[in-house]
Amino acid sequence: MGSGNFPTLDALLFPSAQQSISQTLSSLRRSALSVSNRLQSIETDANFVQEVAEHYDLPLVANERCGSWYISPDAKVGSAYFKSTDGHAGQWDFSFLMPDALSKTIPIWCAVINRALFPTESAFHPVQLPPNFLGESEESQIENRIDGFVSSLKGLKLDLDQLRQQLGKPIRIAWANRSYFHPTDLHKSDAYILFVLCSASKRVHGAEMSEGGYIQGAGDDSEGWAHGLTPPVFWANHSLLKQTPEEDLPDLISDLVKEYQQQSAGQAATLVSPTRNLFIGQTSALVNDSGQYDLVIDCNGSPASAEGNEKRLNLGCASAKLGSRDLRKSLEKVQEFVRAQLEADPSRSLLVTCDTGKDLSAGALLAIICLFYKDDGNTLCSQKSLE
């Protein structure tokens, strides 16, 4: 306290001023993270991805969930699904369904494949990690786990000879980001297949407000910002979206998504070979369905709307990433439904759907195949347990 019991300046607090600064910063950050800035950032990153593809003269495969944002559909040749948690520090693992994380998980996956399929090609057996990225201790710990993962893979009793013939050569990894390209002499070789792991976004060192509207990883977690916009709808309308004011984007996106859903409504589902009665598709495939499928499991459909219909199971899962936990909790219902129906008549056709036909429906269908089907596509006499 100062003389005369008056407080000094540094002892004074101005709650209203502090609140105002906080609110201002929050408002600025929300503005920087606008849908317009995200879409522009996605397009910028997509241009870089195309440059990488042209540099290496290689086709583009999207690393889902968000990879399709950065590749124009006419340039995309396929999708891969790499699980990010397999690459987290101390949790390295080999996922039999294709993991996610360019820096560690895919190198683990490739090392396992190389050792299992090409045991004499020792030059490709070490884990190929990005240069100057991990510490020696972490690299050593990852390397020490690979042989155990190889044993687990062999324990699945897969036809490794067939896989070896299909792949043909070991895998060599290269990386591409905004500051680093591997040398061009890696492009072609008779000794290996080149995988280029491309990080689409440039690194942002400060807050988004300092980047002139650019957002690192703009396509991530789109269910939280995109108002239902999906990569196919974005790429089909990106010029129109770019010209639309921010305040008008939610309504425009809603109209575009509805139009896309109407165009895709009733599209035929896909038969999952070698089965003869399992199908996968978008929920919109059911719009014009007049009893084409004997049984239906809709991962996103409302359970209440299927009550009283013994041939249909609606799981009520949320969409995209938010629905993965819902699906795990619903697998017991899936098991009970399929067991009861296929035991009564194994020839019944079963359609499994979700909003995209590529997300939750794929997980549910995989569980059904593992539990109820043999390798040749015929049903098991007695299904396995989820446990």
Side-chain angles (χ1 to χ4, degrees), residues 242-269:
K242 188 190 304 186
Q243 299 167 4
T244 302
E246 178 71 24
E247 62 270 18
D248 297 331
L249 279 174
D251 288 340
L252 173 62
I253 290 173
S254 178
D255 292 340
L256 293 175
V257 170
K258 289 178 182 177
E259 180 181 347
Y260 176 80
Q261 291 173 341
Q262 291 171 355
Q263 292 173 350
S264 61
Q267 288 184 352

mmCIF file of all heavy atoms in Angstrom, residues 242-269:
data_model
loop_
_atom_site.group_PDB
_atom_site.id
_atom_site.type_symbol
_atom_site.label_atom_id
_atom_site.label_comp_id
_atom_site.label_asym_id
_atom_site.label_seq_id
_atom_site.Cartn_x
_atom_site.Cartn_y
_atom_site.Cartn_z
ATOM 1 N N LYS A 242 -15.761 -20.644 -51.989
ATOM 2 C CA LYS A 242 -14.743 -19.612 -51.796
ATOM 3 C C LYS A 242 -15.324 -18.209 -52.005
ATOM 4 O O LYS A 242 -14.887 -17.245 -51.368
ATOM 5 C CB LYS A 242 -13.592 -19.863 -52.776
ATOM 6 C CG LYS A 242 -12.383 -18.969 -52.543
ATOM 7 C CD LYS A 242 -11.374 -19.097 -53.680
ATOM 8 C CE LYS A 242 -10.939 -20.518 -53.883
ATOM 9 N NZ LYS A 242 -9.857 -20.618 -54.900
ATOM 10 N N GLN A 243 -16.313 -18.089 -52.887
ATOM 11 C CA GLN A 243 -16.884 -16.782 -53.207
ATOM 12 C C GLN A 243 -17.993 -16.360 -52.242
ATOM 13 O O GLN A 243 -18.474 -15.229 -52.318
ATOM 14 C CB GLN A 243 -17.441 -16.809 -54.629
ATOM 15 C CG GLN A 243 -16.409 -17.100 -55.698
ATOM 16 C CD GLN A 243 -17.041 -17.435 -57.037
ATOM 17 O OE1 GLN A 243 -18.273 -17.368 -57.183
ATOM 18 N NE2 GLN A 243 -16.228 -17.799 -58.015
ATOM 19 N N THR A 244 -18.392 -17.248 -51.344
ATOM 20 C CA THR A 244 -19.545 -16.990 -50.482
ATOM 21 C C THR A 244 -19.117 -16.346 -49.166
ATOM 22 O O THR A 244 -18.165 -16.812 -48.522
ATOM 23 C CB THR A 244 -20.288 -18.305 -50.191
ATOM 24 O OG1 THR A 244 -20.689 -18.898 -51.429
ATOM 25 C CG2 THR A 244 -21.510 -18.054 -49.323
ATOM 26 N N PRO A 245 -19.784 -15.272 -48.727
ATOM 27 C CA PRO A 245 -19.457 -14.651 -47.444
ATOM 28 C C PRO A 245 -19.610 -15.634 -46.286
ATOM 29 O O PRO A 245 -20.453 -16.540 -46.332
ATOM 30 C CB PRO A 245 -20.479 -13.511 -47.336
ATOM 31 C CG PRO A 245 -20.900 -13.235 -48.748
ATOM 32 C CD PRO A 245 -20.846 -14.555 -49.448
ATOM 33 N N GLU A 246 -18.835 -15.434 -45.260
ATOM 34 C CA GLU A 246 -18.805 -16.341 -44.118
ATOM 35 C C GLU A 246 -20.191 -16.554 -43.519
ATOM 36 O O GLU A 246 -20.574 -17.681 -43.210
ATOM 37 C CB GLU A 246 -17.854 -15.798 -43.040
ATOM 38 C CG GLU A 246 -17.764 -16.637 -41.781
ATOM 39 C CD GLU A 246 -17.029 -17.952 -41.996
ATOM 40 O OE1 GLU A 246 -16.224 -18.023 -42.938
ATOM 41 O OE2 GLU A 246 -17.268 -18.892 -41.215
ATOM 42 N N GLU A 247 -20.947 -15.480 -43.379
ATOM 43 C CA GLU A 247 -22.252 -15.590 -42.724
ATOM 44 C C GLU A 247 -23.249 -16.405 -43.549
ATOM 45 O O GLU A 247 -24.252 -16.897 -43.011
ATOM 46 C CB GLU A 247 -22.825 -14.199 -42.424
ATOM 47 C CG GLU A 247 -23.085 -13.336 -43.639
ATOM 48 C CD GLU A 247 -21.874 -12.484 -44.027
ATOM 49 O OE1 GLU A 247 -20.756 -12.806 -43.578
ATOM 50 O OE2 GLU A 247 -22.078 -11.497 -44.762
ATOM 51 N N ASP A 248 -22.999 -16.543 -44.843
ATOM 52 C CA ASP A 248 -23.914 -17.295 -45.706
ATOM 53 C C ASP A 248 -23.490 -18.749 -45.907
ATOM 54 O O ASP A 248 -24.243 -19.536 -46.505
ATOM 55 C CB ASP A 248 -24.013 -16.619 -47.084
ATOM 56 C CG ASP A 248 -24.607 -15.226 -47.003
ATOM 57 O OD1 ASP A 248 -25.406 -14.982 -46.084
ATOM 58 O OD2 ASP A 248 -24.262 -14.383 -47.859
ATOM 59 N N LEU A 249 -22.312 -19.112 -45.420
ATOM 60 C CA LEU A 249 -21.800 -20.449 -45.677
ATOM 61 C C LEU A 249 -22.635 -21.571 -45.055
ATOM 62 O O LEU A 249 -22.873 -22.591 -45.709
ATOM 63 C CB LEU A 249 -20.344 -20.555 -45.201
ATOM 64 C CG LEU A 249 -19.302 -20.002 -46.165
ATOM 65 C CD1 LEU A 249 -17.917 -20.022 -45.526
ATOM 66 C CD2 LEU A 249 -19.298 -20.795 -47.474
ATOM 67 N N PRO A 250 -23.091 -21.452 -43.798
ATOM 68 C CA PRO A 250 -23.872 -22.561 -43.223
ATOM 69 C C PRO A 250 -25.092 -22.923 -44.053
ATOM 70 O O PRO A 250 -25.364 -24.113 -44.292
ATOM 71 C CB PRO A 250 -24.260 -22.034 -41.838
ATOM 72 C CG PRO A 250 -23.172 -21.087 -41.478
ATOM 73 C CD PRO A 250 -22.810 -20.413 -42.775
ATOM 74 N N ASP A 251 -25.845 -21.920 -44.539
ATOM 75 C CA ASP A 251 -27.035 -22.202 -45.339
ATOM 76 C C ASP A 251 -26.657 -22.805 -46.689
ATOM 77 O O ASP A 251 -27.311 -23.747 -47.174
ATOM 78 C CB ASP A 251 -27.853 -20.922 -45.552
ATOM 79 C CG ASP A 251 -28.555 -20.465 -44.284
ATOM 80 O OD1 ASP A 251 -28.732 -21.305 -43.372
ATOM 81 O OD2 ASP A 251 -28.912 -19.279 -44.200
ATOM 82 N N LEU A 252 -25.603 -22.270 -47.304
ATOM 83 C CA LEU A 252 -25.167 -22.805 -48.587
ATOM 84 C C LEU A 252 -24.711 -24.252 -48.438
ATOM 85 O O LEU A 252 -25.075 -25.121 -49.258
ATOM 86 C CB LEU A 252 -24.034 -21.961 -49.160
ATOM 87 C CG LEU A 252 -23.379 -22.518 -50.435
ATOM 88 C CD1 LEU A 252 -24.394 -22.603 -51.570
ATOM 89 C CD2 LEU A 252 -22.176 -21.667 -50.830
ATOM 90 N N ILE A 253 -23.925 -24.527 -47.403
ATOM 91 C CA ILE A 253 -23.446 -25.890 -47.174
ATOM 92 C C ILE A 253 -24.609 -26.840 -46.970
ATOM 93 O O ILE A 253 -24.629 -27.949 -47.515
ATOM 94 C CB ILE A 253 -22.489 -25.916 -45.968
ATOM 95 C CG1 ILE A 253 -21.174 -25.221 -46.320
ATOM 96 C CG2 ILE A 253 -22.227 -27.352 -45.512
ATOM 97 C CD1 ILE A 253 -20.238 -25.036 -45.154
ATOM 98 N N SER A 254 -25.598 -26.411 -46.195
ATOM 99 C CA SER A 254 -26.777 -27.250 -45.963
ATOM 100 C C SER A 254 -27.469 -27.596 -47.276
ATOM 101 O O SER A 254 -27.835 -28.756 -47.511
ATOM 102 C CB SER A 254 -27.751 -26.523 -45.030
ATOM 103 O OG SER A 254 -28.918 -27.290 -44.830
ATOM 104 N N ASP A 255 -27.613 -26.603 -48.158
ATOM 105 C CA ASP A 255 -28.258 -26.847 -49.452
ATOM 106 C C ASP A 255 -27.427 -27.790 -50.315
ATOM 107 O O ASP A 255 -27.969 -28.700 -50.968
ATOM 108 C CB ASP A 255 -28.472 -25.521 -50.186
ATOM 109 C CG ASP A 255 -29.503 -24.626 -49.503
ATOM 110 O OD1 ASP A 255 -30.310 -25.157 -48.701
ATOM 111 O OD2 ASP A 255 -29.487 -23.401 -49.754
ATOM 112 N N LEU A 256 -26.117 -27.590 -50.334
ATOM 113 C CA LEU A 256 -25.245 -28.425 -51.159
ATOM 114 C C LEU A 256 -25.225 -29.869 -50.674
ATOM 115 O O LEU A 256 -25.221 -30.815 -51.477
ATOM 116 C CB LEU A 256 -23.818 -27.859 -51.160
ATOM 117 C CG LEU A 256 -23.627 -26.508 -51.852
ATOM 118 C CD1 LEU A 256 -22.194 -26.020 -51.666
ATOM 119 C CD2 LEU A 256 -23.976 -26.589 -53.329
ATOM 120 N N VAL A 257 -25.218 -30.046 -49.350
ATOM 121 C CA VAL A 257 -25.209 -31.401 -48.787
ATOM 122 C C VAL A 257 -26.516 -32.119 -49.116
ATOM 123 O O VAL A 257 -26.518 -33.297 -49.487
ATOM 124 C CB VAL A 257 -24.972 -31.349 -47.267
ATOM 125 C CG1 VAL A 257 -25.201 -32.721 -46.634
ATOM 126 C CG2 VAL A 257 -23.554 -30.879 -46.967
ATOM 127 N N LYS A 258 -27.639 -31.416 -48.988
ATOM 128 C CA LYS A 258 -28.929 -32.022 -49.324
ATOM 129 C C LYS A 258 -28.981 -32.423 -50.793
ATOM 130 O O LYS A 258 -29.479 -33.495 -51.148
ATOM 131 C CB LYS A 258 -30.063 -31.043 -49.005
ATOM 132 C CG LYS A 258 -30.313 -30.838 -47.525
ATOM 133 C CD LYS A 258 -31.425 -29.816 -47.292
ATOM 134 C CE LYS A 258 -31.644 -29.576 -45.809
ATOM 135 N NZ LYS A 258 -32.669 -28.523 -45.569
ATOM 136 N N GLU A 259 -28.462 -31.559 -51.663
ATOM 137 C CA GLU A 259 -28.446 -31.854 -53.093
ATOM 138 C C GLU A 259 -27.591 -33.098 -53.374
ATOM 139 O O GLU A 259 -27.970 -33.960 -54.168
ATOM 140 C CB GLU A 259 -27.895 -30.655 -53.857
ATOM 141 C CG GLU A 259 -27.833 -30.849 -55.354
ATOM 142 C CD GLU A 259 -27.254 -29.637 -56.067
ATOM 143 O OE1 GLU A 259 -27.132 -28.574 -55.422
ATOM 144 O OE2 GLU A 259 -26.926 -29.753 -57.259
ATOM 145 N N TYR A 260 -26.453 -33.185 -52.711
ATOM 146 C CA TYR A 260 -25.566 -34.339 -52.900
ATOM 147 C C TYR A 260 -26.235 -35.622 -52.420
ATOM 148 O O TYR A 260 -26.143 -36.669 -53.070
ATOM 149 C CB TYR A 260 -24.263 -34.099 -52.147
ATOM 150 C CG TYR A 260 -23.300 -35.271 -52.190
ATOM 151 C CD1 TYR A 260 -22.492 -35.493 -53.301
ATOM 152 C CD2 TYR A 260 -23.196 -36.153 -51.105
ATOM 153 C CE1 TYR A 260 -21.612 -36.563 -53.347
ATOM 154 C CE2 TYR A 260 -22.318 -37.220 -51.145
ATOM 155 C CZ TYR A 260 -21.529 -37.416 -52.269
ATOM 156 O OH TYR A 260 -20.665 -38.481 -52.302
ATOM 157 N N GLN A 261 -26.918 -35.535 -51.279
ATOM 158 C CA GLN A 261 -27.602 -36.712 -50.745
ATOM 159 C C GLN A 261 -28.712 -37.169 -51.678
ATOM 160 O O GLN A 261 -28.929 -38.369 -51.861
ATOM 161 C CB GLN A 261 -28.146 -36.406 -49.351
ATOM 162 C CG GLN A 261 -27.061 -36.238 -48.297
ATOM 163 C CD GLN A 261 -27.598 -35.770 -46.959
ATOM 164 O OE1 GLN A 261 -28.713 -35.233 -46.870
ATOM 165 N NE2 GLN A 261 -26.830 -35.969 -45.906
ATOM 166 N N GLN A 262 -29.415 -36.224 -52.276
ATOM 167 C CA GLN A 262 -30.472 -36.588 -53.216
ATOM 168 C C GLN A 262 -29.904 -37.245 -54.471
ATOM 169 O O GLN A 262 -30.470 -38.199 -55.008
ATOM 170 C CB GLN A 262 -31.273 -35.334 -53.603
ATOM 171 C CG GLN A 262 -32.122 -34.774 -52.467
ATOM 172 C CD GLN A 262 -32.732 -33.437 -52.807
ATOM 173 O OE1 GLN A 262 -32.460 -32.850 -53.853
ATOM 174 N NE2 GLN A 262 -33.568 -32.915 -51.909
ATOM 175 N N GLN A 263 -28.768 -36.751 -54.920
ATOM 176 C CA GLN A 263 -28.139 -37.324 -56.114
ATOM 177 C C GLN A 263 -27.625 -38.736 -55.863
ATOM 178 O O GLN A 263 -27.641 -39.574 -56.764
ATOM 179 C CB GLN A 263 -26.989 -36.426 -56.578
ATOM 180 C CG GLN A 263 -27.432 -35.081 -57.124
ATOM 181 C CD GLN A 263 -26.269 -34.168 -57.419
ATOM 182 O OE1 GLN A 263 -25.119 -34.443 -57.061
ATOM 183 N NE2 GLN A 263 -26.546 -33.050 -58.086
ATOM 184 N N SER A 264 -27.168 -38.971 -54.631
ATOM 185 C CA SER A 264 -26.601 -40.278 -54.324
ATOM 186 C C SER A 264 -27.618 -41.247 -53.744
ATOM 187 O O SER A 264 -27.304 -42.409 -53.496
ATOM 188 C CB SER A 264 -25.440 -40.129 -53.332
ATOM 189 O OG SER A 264 -25.880 -39.546 -52.108
ATOM 190 N N ALA A 265 -28.838 -40.749 -53.523
ATOM 191 C CA ALA A 265 -29.873 -41.599 -52.931
ATOM 192 C C ALA A 265 -30.159 -42.800 -53.828
ATOM 193 O O ALA A 265 -30.278 -42.695 -55.035
ATOM 194 C CB ALA A 265 -31.157 -40.798 -52.718
ATOM 195 N N GLY A 266 -30.251 -43.943 -53.192
ATOM 196 C CA GLY A 266 -30.591 -45.150 -53.918
ATOM 197 C C GLY A 266 -29.447 -45.797 -54.659
ATOM 198 O O GLY A 266 -29.659 -46.756 -55.401
ATOM 199 N N GLN A 267 -28.229 -45.265 -54.502
ATOM 200 C CA GLN A 267 -27.083 -45.897 -55.155
ATOM 201 C C GLN A 267 -26.910 -47.319 -54.633
ATOM 202 O O GLN A 267 -27.089 -47.587 -53.451
ATOM 203 C CB GLN A 267 -25.811 -45.092 -54.915
ATOM 204 C CG GLN A 267 -25.762 -43.782 -55.680
ATOM 205 C CD GLN A 267 -24.452 -43.057 -55.486
ATOM 206 O OE1 GLN A 267 -23.631 -43.445 -54.674
ATOM 207 N NE2 GLN A 267 -24.266 -41.981 -56.230
ATOM 208 N N ALA A 268 -26.538 -48.195 -55.521
ATOM 209 C CA ALA A 268 -26.436 -49.609 -55.158
ATOM 210 C C ALA A 268 -25.365 -49.827 -54.105
ATOM 211 O O ALA A 268 -24.313 -49.180 -54.117
ATOM 212 C CB ALA A 268 -26.133 -50.435 -56.405
ATOM 213 N N ALA A 269 -25.639 -50.730 -53.184
ATOM 214 C CA ALA A 269 -24.654 -51.120 -52.196
ATOM 215 C C ALA A 269 -23.645 -52.075 -52.826
ATOM 216 O O ALA A 269 -23.849 -52.587 -53.929
ATOM 217 C CB ALA A 269 -25.352 -51.787 -51.006
#
